[in-house]
Amino acid sequence: MITEKQDIQVMVSLPSASAKAAQTLNIAGHGDVFVASDPEGIQLGSGGGTAYILHQAYLVSGASSLRHWLSGGRKMLIHGSGESRRLPAYAALGKPLMPMPLIEGMTGQKPGQTLLDFQMSAYERFFLHAPSPYFLMIACGDVLVEDDSWLPPYPDADVMIVGLSATDDEAQQHGVLVCGRESGRLTNFLQKPSLSQLSALPEASSFYLDSGVWLLTETNDQPECYDLYGQFGLALGEAPTRTDEGISTLRAATLPLRQGRFYHFGTNRSLLGSLQQLKRPSRGLTAFGDSAMQPEGKPVILNSQVDCQLSPDNRFIWIENAHISKGWRLQQRHMLTGIPENAWVLRLPAGLCLDVVPLTDGSSCLRPYGFDDTFRGALNAEHTTWMGTPVM
């Protein structure tokens, strides 16, 4: 068992510009974290991205070979270089570096903390308790997994996925791990299964949410790169839903966290909903995100000056690095970021968000968007919206 934090090398993938800045300015706040990005213009998926970031970290390590570097200590990789279409304010920065408020009751916090700080604290605990064969941890950059209880025994496997107990409703929104109730061995991996699929599972089975936290041991056979969650995972298990001989031979198991909590930060809604639940953890649910926004949703204000009047009706509002002058009138569901000092008179309709980006020539770019915009789909399709309205 590894017992020292310095035995874990942390790697974080970020969008290209953010990764370059992190390397020169240490904006990640952790001098021992290796930061890189996927190659520009190429879609690698989480599997290909994992191989690429590992190789980049090896190249700067000075190790004699990739295998020697991999065996030289544990590695933790947090993926955060996605497009972030549903959380556009932090698309350029990368979701692991989005700022986090101080949460009452949580230990180990500091001013200027980020989601990455929370993730590293939680995941180091999982890793430090893992048997020595587990040398690589891979985690999603827009997710936080916590468990305050004693961790269960770790199974002996090539691929171990941290799973969380879930209701049928929660399971329909996530990847699901189907396991033997006694053995813990992975039977198969399902993507957003329907209620009928869940009800048809054998009585001797249990299912858990895929937390996005995977631990791998070293194997001699190297399978081709796949998207970890959409392809690689489907080929794992004793009865895989996707056929791939190179992957299906790997022994896969689940580490069930029956008291675990899964916080999603991938959308405007899930950011605010997960923060609400972090402040007041609930034992009734395990997956917090889009559906976790509670009616009282008070504004979250970070590094900002707010001079306008706020009332109890101003709910589900995120204000970060912004000046909201007394001439502003807010309603609900606003993401307000990067607003410079101003004396504007603005009345924002509910659901309107505003991000201001400084340009190199001294001017600014105003970027309005809708709270629930997904920035996907053809422009002439009815479901494709901008500022909550069909684009056309």
Side-chain angles (χ1 to χ4, degrees), residues 124-139:
E124 280 174 344
R125 175 174 176 257
F126 295 151
F127 218 167
L128 293 173
H129 285 78
S132 57
Y134 291 107
F135 81 102
L136 173 63
M137 173 184 281
I138 304 170

Side-chain angles (χ1 to χ4, degrees), residues 45-106:
S46 52
T50 296
Y52 182 79
I53 298 300
L54 287 172
H55 187 251
Q56 294 300 299
Y58 150 68
L59 291 178
V60 302
S61 70
S64 58
S65 69
L66 177 60
R67 180 171 292 277
H68 181 264
W69 176 75
L70 286 171
S71 63
R74 289 181 160 182
K75 313 290 189 287
M76 179 193 300
L77 173 55
I78 298 176
H79 281 293
S81 58
E83 294 180 323
S84 191
R85 299 186 188 207
R86 297 179 296 168
L87 192 68
Y90 300 104
L93 184 63
K95 283 174 279 195
L97 295 188
M98 77 171 77
M100 289 285 110
L102 295 172
I103 307 293
E104 185 177 353
M106 287 185 66

Side-chain angles (χ1 to χ4, degrees), residues 3 12 15 23 55 78 111 114 139 155 168 210 236 265 271 297 300 315 317 322 331 341 351:
T3 58
V12 181
Q23 292 167 350
H55 187 251
I78 298 176
T114 64
D168 289 358
D210 171 23
L236 292 172
F265 294 87
L271 168 60
V300 178
R315 298 176 295 148
I317 297 175
Q331 295 192 41
E341 185 176 355

Side-chain angles (χ1 to χ4, degrees), residues 345-381:
V345 177
L346 286 179
R347 295 180 180 272
L348 298 187
L352 182 68
C353 305
L354 183 61
D355 181 48
V356 179
V357 181
L359 304 180
T360 54
D361 63 2
S363 61
S364 297
C365 175
L366 275 67
R367 305 196 302 178
Y369 59 96
F371 189 76
D372 292 310
D373 286 351
T374 61
F375 291 97
R376 290 187 183 276
L379 291 180
N380 60 355

Side-chain angles (χ1 to χ4, degrees), residues 370 372-376 378 381-391:
D372 292 310
D373 286 351
T374 61
F375 291 97
R376 290 187 183 276
E382 286 187 17
H383 62 271
T384 303
T385 60
W386 180 45
M387 294 191 286
T389 302
V391 174

Side-chain angles (χ1 to χ4, degrees), residues 229-303:
Y229 311 106
Q231 294 176 283
F232 190 101
L234 301 182
L236 292 172
E238 297 172 347
T241 56
R242 172 186 168 88
T243 302
D244 189 302
E245 294 181 1
I247 294 175
S248 298
T249 57
L250 299 175
R251 299 170 302 153
T254 298
L255 180 71
L257 303 182
R258 293 180 173 83
Q259 300 298 321
R261 299 182 298 279
F262 174 94
Y263 301 97
H264 183 227
F265 294 87
T267 70
N268 298 319
R269 281 185 178 273
S270 63
L271 168 60
L272 293 173
S274 290
L275 282 176
Q276 282 183 294
Q277 294 296 336
L278 272 172
K279 294 177 181 179
R280 294 190 310 168
S282 168
R283 295 296 178 184
L285 293 171
T286 57
F288 304 118
D290 292 18
S291 61
M293 286 172 55
Q294 300 301 310
E296 66 273 16
K298 296 179 180 179
V300 178
I301 301 173
L302 278 170
N303 307 318

